[in-house]
């Protein structure tokens, strides 16, 4: 199976940066309108016009800078805040009565956008630093703190710190989510490798042990050694120490998760499940199939066929060499159901839990694990003395939807 990893960014910050971009443009228009309506009171209107013209150019040129956290550098934040502070301190120069009146400053509420950029970039501490400088500039501009000045300063200070804190919480949540998704992906990969080991190496070791014991002599010693290796490998698999892809620490630092992208053309093709199951038919296995092709995505069909093969292996191992098995394929509108039934002695109650505790994970990994990954279900029904029936159900939907496995 050809697989490729792709990085998917899942940042809740991006809408906030887009909102900040819009806020800067809207508040620029608002500051220009305030200056235009109050142009009669300016003693030096050229100061207001010059600053607002520069502010307009600065805002429009730097819009890409506030598009995301990466482009919003510390140097830009410092320059942007300097522009806001300069506009506040220039207000008395343009209007001699500004210190004695509670009117707006030249940048007006545009200044809050500069403070909010600090909050989005560095959290509440950066927001507190920027809003404190703005508060100091407002007090200097007014000459003495008034009630309205104190109210406006406090509003900006509290709002920016609150937004900075929310951003920090969001980042921490994203890191936690990214780590959880990566652990889930690593666990699924580990289980897939464990299934492959069970279906190949462990089965061979178990066969060598049985045949060696039956032959006796030196073959018996080889069988004993194979049995020891089987036990050791089962212990390794059940302990979760099977090697798997290393989780990237860098991706956990940002809000990113790794997803599996099946890009091979054969992955998107469909396969006829009947073709994959037909080779199991024989003197001991009866295969009943629909008259029309049973189409599933290629990877889903292979995994379902592997689960059927694992169920038949259990029949051969546990039901005895003379046991009969039946495979029934049902093609329903929304799902494909494969039933594997045998006439063996059945499974005593609690035996599966005991086997899983001993590291024998054939049913847990090779059958249930595969069906769970396909978003399907695997139900095992066994009555002592009346055989065992395994029902495998796979929905006709894309992989990735979680399904219940009983």
């Amino acid at each position: 199976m050809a697989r490729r990893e792709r990085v998917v960014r899942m940042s809740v910050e991006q809408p906030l940066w887009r909102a900040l971009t819009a806020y800067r443009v809207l508040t620029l228009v608002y500051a220009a309108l305030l200056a235009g309506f109050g142009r009669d009171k300016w003693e030096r209107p050229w100061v207001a016009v010059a600053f607002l013209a520069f502010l307009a150019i600065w805002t429009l040129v730097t819009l890409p800078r506030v598009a995301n956290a990466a482009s919003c550098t510390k140097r830009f934040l410092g320059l942007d805040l300097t522009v806001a502070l300069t506009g506040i301190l220039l207000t008395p120069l343009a209007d001699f009565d500004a210190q004695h009146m509670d009117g707006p400053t030249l940048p007006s509420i545009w200044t809050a956008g500069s403070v909010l950029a600090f909050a989005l970039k560095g959290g509440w501490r950066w927001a507190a630093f920027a809003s404190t400088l703005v508060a100091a500039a407002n007090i200097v501009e007014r000459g003495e703190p008034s009630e309205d000045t104190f109210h406006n300063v406090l509003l900006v200070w509290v709002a920016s710190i609150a937004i900075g804190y929310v951003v920090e919480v969001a980042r921490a949540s994203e890191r936690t989510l990214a780590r959880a998704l990566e652990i889930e992906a690593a666990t699924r990969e580990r289980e897939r490798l464990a299934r492959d080991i069970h279906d190949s190496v462990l089965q061979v070791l178990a066969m060598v042990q049985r045949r060696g014991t039956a032959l006796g002599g030196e073959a018996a010693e080889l069988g004993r050694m194979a049995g020891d290796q089987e036990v050791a490998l089962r212990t390794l698999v059940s302990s979760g120490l099977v090697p798997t892809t290393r989780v990237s620490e860098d991706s956990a630092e940002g809000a990113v998760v790794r997803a599996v992208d099946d890009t091979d053309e054969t992955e998107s093709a469909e396969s006829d499940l009947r073709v994959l199951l037909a080779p199991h038919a024989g003197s001991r296995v009866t295969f009943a199939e629909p008259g029309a092709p049973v189409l599933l995505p290629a990877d889903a069909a292979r995994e379902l066929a592997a689960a059927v093969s694992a169920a038949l292996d259990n029949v051969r191992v546990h039901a005895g060499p003379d046991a009969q098995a039946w495979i029934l394929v049902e093609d329903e509108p929304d799902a494909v159901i494969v039933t594997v039934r045998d006439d063996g002695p059945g499974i005593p109650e609690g035996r599966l839990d005991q086997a899983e505790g001993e590291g024998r994970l054939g049913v847990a990994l090779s059958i249930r694990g595969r069906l769970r990954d396909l978003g399907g279900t695997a139900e095992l029904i066994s009555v002592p003395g009346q055989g065992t029936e395994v029902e495998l159900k796979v929905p006709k939907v894309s992989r990735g939807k979680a399904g219940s496995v009983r």
Side-chain angles (χ1 to χ4, degrees):
M1 183 182 297
R3 293 177 181 267
R4 182 181 64 189
E5 287 188 338
R6 58 183 171 90
V7 177
V8 182
R9 186 166 298 275
M10 300 174 56
S11 177
V12 297
E13 295 180 39
Q14 200 55 44
L16 296 178
W17 287 106
R18 288 196 293 267
L20 177 60
T21 302
Y23 177 87
R24 287 168 67 91
V25 174
L26 292 176
T27 53
L28 170 65
V29 175
Y30 179 74
L33 291 175
L34 282 180
F37 290 135
R39 63 183 180 276
D40 296 336
K41 73 173 184 176
W42 301 107
E43 284 80 4
R44 294 176 178 169
W46 64 268
V47 175
V49 171
F51 174 77
L52 290 174
F54 174 80
L55 185 65
I57 296 173
W58 172 261
T59 301
L60 297 178
V61 170
T62 58
L63 284 181
R65 287 287 190 174
V66 291
N68 52 64
S71 59
C72 189
T73 61
K74 293 181 181 179
R75 183 172 179 271
F76 165 74
L77 288 175
L79 293 174
D80 196 58
L81 185 60
T82 300
V83 171
L85 297 178
T86 301
I88 294 174
L89 298 177
L90 282 176
T91 302
L93 183 61
D95 180 9
F96 297 148
D97 295 329
Q99 289 186 330
H100 307 293
M101 299 176 63
D102 290 323
T105 60
L106 284 176
S108 184
I109 57 175
W110 185 93
T111 304
S114 181
V115 177
L116 292 177
F118 271 82
L120 295 182
K121 176 68 175 180
W124 71 269
R125 293 176 179 84
W126 287 31
F129 168 76
S131 57
T132 300
L133 292 181
V134 170
N138 275 280
I139 293 174
V140 171
E141 184 264 334
R142 296 299 181 191
E144 60 182 13
S146 64
E147 182 178 348
D148 287 343
T149 301
F150 176 77
H151 172 76
N152 294 335
V153 166
L154 183 63
L155 181 62
V156 173
W157 199 70
V158 172
S160 60
I161 290 179
I163 292 176
Y165 179 76
V166 169
V167 170
E168 289 187 0
V169 172
R171 285 173 179 164
S173 300
E174 285 180 341
R175 287 194 294 269
T176 302
L177 176 61
R179 183 63 180 171
L181 292 174
E182 287 185 339
I183 291 175
E184 180 184 5
T187 302
R188 287 184 177 275
E189 178 66 9
R190 183 185 299 118
E191 290 183 354
R192 184 188 67 80
L193 292 175
R195 288 196 297 267
D196 293 342
I197 292 173
H198 176 272
D199 293 346
S200 56
V201 181
L202 290 177
Q203 297 286 8
V204 171
L205 290 175
M207 182 186 69
V208 171
Q209 181 187 22
R210 292 194 302 271
R211 294 295 299 275
T213 302
L215 293 174
E218 294 182 359
E221 178 63 18
L222 291 176
R224 184 192 64 78
M225 295 172 62
D228 292 341
Q229 294 302 313
E230 180 194 3
V231 172
L233 187 54
R234 286 187 186 276
T235 301
L236 182 65
V237 170
S238 61
S239 65
L241 298 178
V242 178
T244 185
T245 304
R246 184 179 181 271
V247 176
S248 170
E249 295 178 357
D250 294 337
S251 61
E253 290 298 322
V256 297
V257 296
R258 295 192 182 276
V260 176
D261 184 15
D262 296 332
T263 57
D264 189 27
E265 292 183 359
T266 59
E267 299 300 324
S268 59
E270 289 187 329
S271 296
D272 186 356
L273 182 63
R274 303 178 308 165
V275 176
L276 298 178
L277 297 181
H280 293 298
S283 60
R284 300 287 182 184
V285 178
T286 302
F287 179 44
E289 58 182 307
V294 181
L295 298 179
L296 283 174
D299 58 341
R302 284 195 296 269
E303 289 293 288
L304 181 55
V308 172
S309 178
L312 292 174
D313 287 339
N314 286 336
V315 173
R316 285 189 288 269
V317 173
H318 301 293
D322 298 328
Q324 291 285 338
W326 293 264
I327 304 174
L328 173 62
V329 179
E330 300 173 84
D331 190 5
E332 297 187 348
D334 59 344
V336 173
I337 301 176
V338 180
T339 304
V340 180
R341 184 169 61 86
D342 65 70
D343 61 355
I347 303 175
E349 185 176 356
R351 180 68 185 94
L352 288 179
D353 294 335
Q354 179 184 354
E356 188 169 344
E358 295 172 353
R360 300 181 178 275
L361 305 176
V363 174
L365 291 178
S366 292
I367 300 178
R368 287 179 172 168
R370 281 191 165 95
L371 269 294
R372 181 194 61 217
D373 290 348
L374 294 175
T377 60
E379 184 174 2
L380 187 146
I381 302 173
S382 181
V383 178
Q386 299 183 23
T388 301
E389 180 177 301
V390 180
E391 182 183 273
L392 311 174
K393 184 175 182 180
V394 176
K396 292 182 177 179
V397 293
S398 60
R399 288 184 66 173
K401 291 188 177 181
S404 61
V405 180
R406 293 172 285 178

